[in-house]
Amino acid sequence: MRHLCHWRSPLFAMVILLLAGCSESPSPTSTSDDDSERPTYPVTWRFALEEIEGSVQHRYAEELKERIESISDGNILIDIFPYGSIGTSIQLTDLAREGSVHLAFASPGHLADLIPETGVFTLHFLLSDNEDVNRDILASDELMQVFTEPYAENGLQLLGFVPEGWMVWTANKPLRTPADFNGLAIRTMTSEIAAEAYKAYGATPTPTPYSQVYSDLQLRRIDGQANPVFAIEEMGFYEVQNTMTFARPAQFVTSVVSNREWFEALPDDQKRWLEEALDEVTPLAYEVQAELNARRLETIMENSNTRIVELSEEEREQFREASLPVRETYARTAGERGEAILEQLMEMVDEAESETPDS
Ligand code: 6CS
C-alpha cells in the first residue's frame, strides 16, 4: 500500500488546530464585495481529499489548482490535503461544514447518513451501463439543482458530481451470484444505505473508513470490498485479495463541496474564477478516471496473479433483481424529496439512453 499517514495521532490533532486557527486565508464569512473588506492577496484555499496522491481526486485537485492559480494571476493559491493528512471522509465533511477547509470531496457512500438524498448514488443498477450517459447526467444543471438544497441545509455548497469508474468487487473467490455473498463480510462505505446494497445480496456489510480497509482485509476481519480499479491498485487491496469480480453494479460517484457561507461570501471575481475552473476540470476528470482505471488494471495484472472475473449479462441480471428492494429502503430513509430524486434520475437515464444510439 502506498504511503498513508495516520490521523489518530498528535500530528493530526496539530494539523486540525493549525487549520482552525492560524490561516492566512480569510475566514469563510469574512470576505465581502465591499472593496474596503477585500482580502489581501494572495489568498489560500484549502482543498481536502478523500484519496491519496496520484488518485482521481488528487489529479482533479491538481488540475483545479493549476487553473485557479493561473486565472487569478496567482492571487488565489490552493493547498491540497490528500487523504491521510487531515481525516476520514466524515471528518473532512465536518471540516468543510465548519469552514476549516474551503473545498472538499464528499462521497455519497459516506455522506448519505448526513444528506440521505445522496444515498441514491449507492443504489445498484440505477445509472446507465453506458458511462457517457452517466457522465452527462452527473454534469447536468438539472441534477445539480435538485441536490443544491439538501447540501445547503447542511452548510455545504454543492459544486459538482464526479464519476470515478465502476465499482469492482474484490474477495478471495469469484462473486458470480448473490448466493456467493451469503455470509460474506464485505466492507462498505460508512453510511447505512451503502450497507443496505450488500445486505440485499445476503452479505454481512461492515462499514469501515477507507484507511482501515487494507489492514482489515489483511487480518481477515473482512472478506471483501468494493471500489474502482484505480483505488484497488493505489490502496494495495489486490495485494491482500485474490479475485476481482467485474459486475458493474454502480459507478463510484463523489461530490465536490465547499463551505456554504464561504462560497456565498466570495467576491464576484473569485466566484467566477472558481466556477470557470470547475467547468474546465469536470470533463477532464472523466478522462482521467478512464485512463487511470485502465492503466492500473494492467499494473495489477503485471504485479500479481489476481483472478479477473467478468460477469455475463445473465449473471448481472440476478444481482439487478436482488438489488431492487433497496430502492424502497432508500425512498423510506430519504423521504419525499429523495423519492422524487430517484424517480427523476430514472427518467433522466431512460431519456438519455433512448437518445444514445449504442446504449
Ligand atoms: O471506499 C472509499 O471509502 C473511498 N473510495 C474511493 C475511490 N474514494 C474515496 C472513498 O472514501
Side-chain angles (χ1 to χ4, degrees):
M1 181 171 55
R2 298 202 195 140
H3 175 70
L4 183 67
C5 100
H6 212 286
W7 50 82
R8 285 188 205 117
S9 65
L11 176 65
F12 170 57
M14 214 165 76
V15 173
I16 293 294
L17 284 175
L18 285 171
L19 287 178
C22 311
S23 162
E24 79 278 28
S25 298
S27 79
T29 52
S30 69
T31 51
S32 128
D33 275 352
D34 180 344
D35 274 353
S36 61
E37 287 183 41
R38 277 198 174 271
T40 315
Y41 285 127
V43 164
T44 301
W45 295 349
R46 292 182 286 268
F47 192 176
L49 315 185
E50 297 175 296
E51 293 168 5
I52 61 175
E53 284 183 30
S55 62
V56 173
Q57 292 187 5
H58 188 245
R59 289 277 296 276
Y60 180 105
E62 281 188 319
E63 297 287 350
L64 191 78
K65 174 183 167 74
E66 197 182 301
R67 277 163 183 74
I68 295 274
E69 293 184 356
S70 148
I71 311 175
S72 73
D73 245 341
N75 283 320
I76 307 291
L77 306 173
I78 295 195
D79 250 4
I80 299 172
F81 293 85
Y83 190 64
S85 52
I86 52 173
T88 62
S89 290
I90 288 182
Q91 289 167 331
L92 300 186
T93 300
D94 286 345
L95 290 172
R97 293 174 76 201
E98 72 184 41
S100 297
V101 297
H102 305 93
L103 302 160
F105 276 100
S107 294
H110 296 290
L111 189 62
D113 282 350
L114 181 70
I115 308 179
E117 291 85 348
T118 63
V120 77
F121 296 115
T122 67
L123 299 176
H124 289 189
F125 301 97
L126 177 70
L127 292 185
S128 177
D129 282 352
N130 183 326
E131 288 186 88
D132 294 346
V133 164
N134 298 332
R135 173 201 56 196
D136 294 347
I137 291 175
L138 290 165
S140 69
D141 287 342
E142 202 182 334
L143 196 72
M144 288 285 286
Q145 270 162 22
V146 294
F147 278 99
T148 298
E149 202 50 40
Y151 276 76
E153 285 166 8
N154 288 285
L156 296 171
Q157 178 73 33
L158 172 64
L159 300 175
F161 288 113
V162 180
E164 299 192 18
W166 293 113
M167 292 294 248
V168 175
W169 298 326
T170 68
N172 287 321
K173 63 176 189 178
L175 298 167
R176 286 192 177 279
T177 68
D180 292 328
F181 274 90
N182 223 328
L184 191 90
I186 186 152
R187 177 270 174 174
T188 65
M189 286 183 273
T190 50
S191 67
E192 279 182 32
I193 193 73
E196 289 296 328
Y198 290 94
K199 257 190 216 159
Y201 302 150
T204 307
T206 313
T208 312
Y210 196 34
S211 55
Q212 205 182 304
V213 179
Y214 184 94
S215 54
D216 280 2
L217 288 171
Q218 194 174 36
L219 299 174
R220 304 287 169 114
R221 298 177 70 203
I222 48 175
D223 304 317
Q225 66 83 46
N227 254 303
V229 171
F230 83 86
I232 292 169
E233 193 276 332
E234 72 189 11
M235 296 300 280
F237 301 153
Y238 74 99
E239 296 166 3
V240 283
Q241 298 266 267
N242 65 27
T243 308
M244 289 168 73
T245 300
F246 288 69
R248 287 178 286 122
Q251 278 281 310
F252 182 93
V253 176
T254 190
S255 61
V256 188
V257 300
S258 72
N259 176 279
R260 184 166 172 240
E261 288 180 11
W262 171 81
F263 179 83
E264 283 181 348
L266 276 180
D268 287 347
D269 51 358
Q270 293 189 27
K271 203 178 268 183
R272 186 169 35 81
W273 294 334
L274 177 57
E275 284 167 348
E276 277 176 28
L278 288 166
D279 281 350
E280 285 182 23
V281 171
T282 301
L284 223 124
Y286 183 72
E287 285 163 31
V288 165
Q289 64 80 23
E291 175 219 316
L292 277 188
N293 281 313
R295 190 149 43 82
R296 300 233 176 127
L297 182 58
E298 285 170 20
T299 309
I300 291 173
M301 285 159 68
E302 278 162 19
N303 294 344
S304 70
N305 294 320
T306 302
R307 182 170 171 196
I308 306 292
V309 175
E310 182 127 17
L311 297 198
S312 66
E313 285 310 312
E314 290 70 30
E315 287 169 326
R316 290 183 73 222
E317 185 54 27
Q318 290 184 51
F319 283 104
R320 201 188 77 80
E321 276 169 27
S323 76
L324 294 178
V326 187
R327 297 183 189 185
E328 282 154 39
T329 312
Y330 165 78
R332 261 199 317 279
T333 52
E336 272 178 32
R337 196 167 53 187
E339 204 172 342
I341 287 176
L342 172 60
E343 274 163 25
Q344 183 175 338
L345 248 180
M346 290 195 294
E347 275 168 26
M348 288 172 87
V349 170
D350 282 349
E351 203 180 304
E353 284 183 341
S354 67
E355 288 165 5
T356 309
D358 61 344
S359 62

